[in-house]
Amino acid sequence: MPIFKAIYKKLSKKWHPQAITVGAPVEMDELCKHIARMSTVSIPDAKAAIEALGIVMGDLMNAGRSVHVDGLGTFYYTCVSNGQGVDAEEKVNANQITGTRVRFVPESSRKGNTITRALISDDLVWTNIKSVSDLDGTGTSAGTPGTGEDGDDSGQGTFG
């Protein structure tokens, strides 16, 4: 159940939905437990594979490659050269690069005129934070009423 809240955008002078997350991020141990439950690998094996994936992806992207992971998507580097432009193509060099970013494009498939992203469920239903009464950080009831109705318009993407 993805959750949103209403925020006021001063530029457009209108209210818009903004996605928020609840609770703490899912950490490696919990991720590995979920993987172990739905596969034939143990929790330590899942952890070792995920840790190796990050190292191998970094090595391959450092070699100038993009990395495609079936069912997940494609990862690649981009570079930033804010304020470091030059007047001629011949003068362009690596010293102009002021930052490196990892970009991610989720896997997608096309069925007729519909494009589906791998990480977006077919039965996804957005829920307004004001309509959620019990949050425990996992999207399930915990018996403790949530708040979230404080009118905060800070634009923060997390809640909880």
Side-chain angles (χ1 to χ4, degrees):
M1 160 185 66
I3 300 172
F4 71 92
K5 71 177 182 177
I7 63 157
Y8 184 77
K9 304 262 183 156
K10 293 177 184 175
L11 192 60
S12 68
K13 296 182 178 163
K14 299 205 184 270
W15 288 88
H16 298 269
Q18 177 175 313
I20 61 170
T21 58
V22 292
V26 173
E27 296 294 340
M28 179 73 98
D29 289 342
E30 184 179 351
L31 184 64
C32 292
K33 286 177 188 175
H34 283 270
I35 291 170
R37 276 198 300 261
M38 66 183 305
S39 70
T40 60
V41 299
S42 67
I43 293 171
D45 288 343
K47 186 172 184 178
I50 292 171
E51 288 173 347
L53 178 65
I55 294 167
V56 170
M57 285 176 62
D59 289 345
L60 293 169
M61 289 189 298
N62 283 339
R65 308 278 307 271
S66 63
V67 177
H68 176 253
V69 179
D70 285 342
L72 188 59
T74 303
F75 298 81
Y76 61 97
Y77 283 156
T78 61
C79 61
V80 179
S81 61
N82 294 337
Q84 300 297 318
V86 292
D87 294 327
E89 181 179 353
E90 304 80 38
K91 294 182 180 182
V92 173
N93 65 63
N95 292 332
Q96 294 172 259
I97 297 172
T98 58
T100 304
R101 295 194 174 110
V102 175
R103 299 294 188 195
F104 169 68
V105 178
E107 180 107 346
S108 63
S109 61
R110 182 182 293 268
K111 293 179 185 174
N113 290 332
T114 305
I115 296 176
T116 304
R117 296 277 184 203
L119 299 176
I120 301 174
S121 173
D122 289 338
D123 58 355
L124 179 119
V125 176
W126 284 93
T127 303
N128 191 326
I129 189 68
K130 288 187 175 189
S131 67
V132 178
S133 61
D134 297 319
L135 291 177
D136 69 355
T138 66
T140 59
S141 291
T144 306
T147 54
E149 296 186 27
D150 59 4
D152 178 25
D153 66 351
S154 66
Q156 295 297 315
T158 59
F159 181 84

